[in-house]
């Protein structure tokens, strides 16, 4: 909400500077989002009157003007504006004047000069040159009553400040200049100028029949006929200026008057062309299929959930939102019907958004507009119409069918003191509420308030406590440290922090991303294999309608985003929460019944295995590169990898990751159908692991350095193709070696191109380097040979292996 400070001070003028007033409003909950001067700085610009204007002898588009600026002698000024003519008063920049800064940030200084041989002793200004508006059609014409020689800032009241308030929905009573002034009076104690609404003399007895068929839509409807109105009358300059400073452009006199009362008292009204109304008016809910062309030119289709004002033939207005084009006033209008109504907030809320637009009227009605002053505000708007457009007013027809009943709210002083955390006296609370204009009835430690008709936000005890806090001042609330004992949660030695995991992945070349927990439902069905994802009741976007159960979709979206911006190598990871249905989960301080919310760590690698370099041939990242990253991330814990399947991963290039016999996640290439769907030049490799398993680590245990030299033996065994590396290594460690085996590493895999050489089809040769050592003594050849034979015997018995010759 935007308004000029000068208009506010007409209702309440506290002894505060502009900055102090803004701070007072902000600390009371009416956040001042911006303070902006009405006009930029400029000097030595006064009101001038053109006394003579003749054609320039050497330029068709220039005129030589004699301008009176109140200095006795006339100034000779050359001007190219098309409306430069004798008799008008315009802003005149004297020699030495500084105009508002241009694009370079420097002020423009006016100097005496010659234009096409004619001396010019100043400059006549347009509104755009003074940066008062974007109008550059000619000189800014001032009122005929302007005093020649008066400083233009004083004449146009340009030393004013525009306030922009960011109001929360519960502050509907502050959506007007008077409403804000009422708050300022309560906060500062400055007197409030209460407006009066003297009745307009009734000149004719005519009334328009009005029926309220939907009391749950409209609780009060007031209106009157005004005849013989001059709709072509000009809006007064003072009203145009005030509306402009509220961000509202001038349209016509009647529209401007309606908007003026809207900003002044937060009273939306509507003016019908009386002669275009067929019969009387019926305030009702719409009927399915009815159409209405609105003032903004759009045609909407209403139903029984949208309120309308209809005549005997058709709807003529969208209730509480916008009038219809069929009964709009025009230059030919002579008789009008002015209405002011109370629309129930729930009956208006959300209706304009159904049609993809919003209005100032709808914004106010859906928050609550005072139902108690419809007649008084109708008198105000009628008086303005008669003063500006002339006319003869008829009697007011006021129908009250369903007004909000007064509902007293009780404040317990002890409760208020407990919530605010400061001692409060009953008299102190009563004074705060009375300053707000609230009727207070004192009881035994209680205060009962019957909210006035303009306060829709006072419904429960906490609302009154908030009002007390605002009046006492949030900055006066004591700073009380928490009294509860705080015990630091010491991380176990067998666990590392998530930060350490992030740092480890960053060290491996991955960059962290942070993504929404809301994802596309299709991802859950196809990428995560989740047929029943957790749906959001009110998603922020259609493609963010469910909670994710996997981080992979988010990483693929990040990959696509980077590839669209010509990134050639992408390595990203995320540590985030996923959301799963689990009936075994009970509600606690950190859990919600029926839903598991574990943390996961996931990463994606795409492009080259290394950044561009000279020392290694460029090669795309593959499964084994990412497998190595997982092993480095989990070290010193050893992970095993088993062939598996996952909805998002390639069925032949996917493995489950196991630690200590427990599955902690998956790793693999992206499924071909998803690679094709994302139009990827190569398949990215992804993994997703349970964060708890990654955080776990083994507590270091002291082991002495071996005193004796280790022995290394290499063996090559022929085994069936189906024997995996993991199974082979596990079998070697399971052999009876008496604890002398310290390590086993696969260093070669051989598959012949054709049968022969002692190998059959479907077989492969695996070469393993064995490391043997003893803490007791140097191993003898007999001991070494016995351990090697024990390992070979284990492989023969378990896999049918045989030594390769």
């Amino acid at each position: 909400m935007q308004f000029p400070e000068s208009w506010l001070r007409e209702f309440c003028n506290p002894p505060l500077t502009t900055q102090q007033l803004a701070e007072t409003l902000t600390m009371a909950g009416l956040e001042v989002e911006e303070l902006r001067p009405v006009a930029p700085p400029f000097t030595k610009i006064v009101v001038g009157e053109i006394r003579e204007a003749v054609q320039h002898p050497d330029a068709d588009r220039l005129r030589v003007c004699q301008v009176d600026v109140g200095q006795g002698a006339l100034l000779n000024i050359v001007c190219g504006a098309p409306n430069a003519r004798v008799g008008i008063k315009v802003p005149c920049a004297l020699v030495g004047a500084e105009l508002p800064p241009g694009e370079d940030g420097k002020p423009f200084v006016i100097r005496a000069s010659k234009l096409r041989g004619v001396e010019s002793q100043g400059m006549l200004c347009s509104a755009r040159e003074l940066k008062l508006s974007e109008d550059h059609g000619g000189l800014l014409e001032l009122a005929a009553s302007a005093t020649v020689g008066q400083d233009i800032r004083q004449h146009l009241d340009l030393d004013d400040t525009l306030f922009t308030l960011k109001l929360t929905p519960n502050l509907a009573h502050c959506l007007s200049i008077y409403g804000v002034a009422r708050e300022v009076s309560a906060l500062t104690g400055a007197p409030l100028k209460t407006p009066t609404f003297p009745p307009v003399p009734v000149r004719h007895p005519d009334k328009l029949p009005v029926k309220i068929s939907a009391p749950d839509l409209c609780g009060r409807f007031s209106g009157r006929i005004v005849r013989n109105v001059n709709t072509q009358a000009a809006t007064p300059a003072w009203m145009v200026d005030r509306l402009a400073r509220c961000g509202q452009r001038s349209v016509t006199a009647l529209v401007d008057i309606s908007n003026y009362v809207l900003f002044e008292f937060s009273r939306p009204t509507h003016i019908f062309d009386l002669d275009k109304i067929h019969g009387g008016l019926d305030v009702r809910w719409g009927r399915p299929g009815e159409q209405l062309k609105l003032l903004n030119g759009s045609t909407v289709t209403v139903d029984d959930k949208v309120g309308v004002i209809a005549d005997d033939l058709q709807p003529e207005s969208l209730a509480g939102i916008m009038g219809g084009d069929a009964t709009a006033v025009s230059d030919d209008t002579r008789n009008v019907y002015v209405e002011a109504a109370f629309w129930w907030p729930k009956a208006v809320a959300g209706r304009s958004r159904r049609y993809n637009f919003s209005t100032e009227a709808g914004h106010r009605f859906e928050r609550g507009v005072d139902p108690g002053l419809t007649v008084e505000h109708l008198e105000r708007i009628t008086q303005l119409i008669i003063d500006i457009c002339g006319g003869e007013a008829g009697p007011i027809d006021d129908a009250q069918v369903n007004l909000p009943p007064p509902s007293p709210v009780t404040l317990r002083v002890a409760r208020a003191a407990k919530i605010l955390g400061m001692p409060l006296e009953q008299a102190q609370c009563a004074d705060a509420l009375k300053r707000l204009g609230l009727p207070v009835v004192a009881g035994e430690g209680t205060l009962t308030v019957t909210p006035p008709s303009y306060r829709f936000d006072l419904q429960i005890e906490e609302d009154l406590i908030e009002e007390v806090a605002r009046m006492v001042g949030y900055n006066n609330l004591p700073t009380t440290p928490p009294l509860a004992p705080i015990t630091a949660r010491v991380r176990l030695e067998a666990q590392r922090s998530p930060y350490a995991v992030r740092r480890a992945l960053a060290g491996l070349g991955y960059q962290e991303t942070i993504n929404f927990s809301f994802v596309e439902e299709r991802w859950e069905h196809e990428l995560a294999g989740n047929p029943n994802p957790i749906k959001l009741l009110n998603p922020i976007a259609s493609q963010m309608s469910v909670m994710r159960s996997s981080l992979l979709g988010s990483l693929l979206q990040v990959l696509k985003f980077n590839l669209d911006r010509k990134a050639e190598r992408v390595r990203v990871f995320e540590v985030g929460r996923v959301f799963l249905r689990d009936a075994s989960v009970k509600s606690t301080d950190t859990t919600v019944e029926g839903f598991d919310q574990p943390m996961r760590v996931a990463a994606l690698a795409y492009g080259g295995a290394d950044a561009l370099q000279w020392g290694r041939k460029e090669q795309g990242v593959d499964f084994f590169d990412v497998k190595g990253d997982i092993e480095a991330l989990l070290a010193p814990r050893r992970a095993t990898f088993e062939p598996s399947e996952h909805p998002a991963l390639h069925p032949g290039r996917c493995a489950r990751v196991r630690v200590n016999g427990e599955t902690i996640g998956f790793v693999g290439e992206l499924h071909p159908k998803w690679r094709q769907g994302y139009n990827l030049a190569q398949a990215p490799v992804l993994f997703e692991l349970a964060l708890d398993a990654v955080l776990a680590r083994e507590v270091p245990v002291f082991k002495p350095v071996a005193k004796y030299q280790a022995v290394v033996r290499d063996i090559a065994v022929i085994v069936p193709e189906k024997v995996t590396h993991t199974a082979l290594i596990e079998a070697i460690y399971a052999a009876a070696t008496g604890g002398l085996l310290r390590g086993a590493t696969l260093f070669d895999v051989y598959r012949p191109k054709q049968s022969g050489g002692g190998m059959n089809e479907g077989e492969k040769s695996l070469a393993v380097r064995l490391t043997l050592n003893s803490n007791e003594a140097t191993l003898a050849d007999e001991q070494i040979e016995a351990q090697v034979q024990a390992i070979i015997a284990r492989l023969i018995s378990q896999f049918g292996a045989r030594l390769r010759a």
Side-chain angles (χ1 to χ4, degrees), residues 727-740:
L728 181 76
I729 298 300
E730 286 180 350
I732 291 174
Y733 277 106
T737 59
L740 298 182

Side-chain angles (χ1 to χ4, degrees), residues 688-705:
E688 182 173 17
L689 308 175
L691 183 62
D692 288 344
V694 178
L695 296 181
R697 63 179 178 180
E698 296 176 355
V699 178
V701 178
F702 171 75
K703 292 182 180 179
V705 177

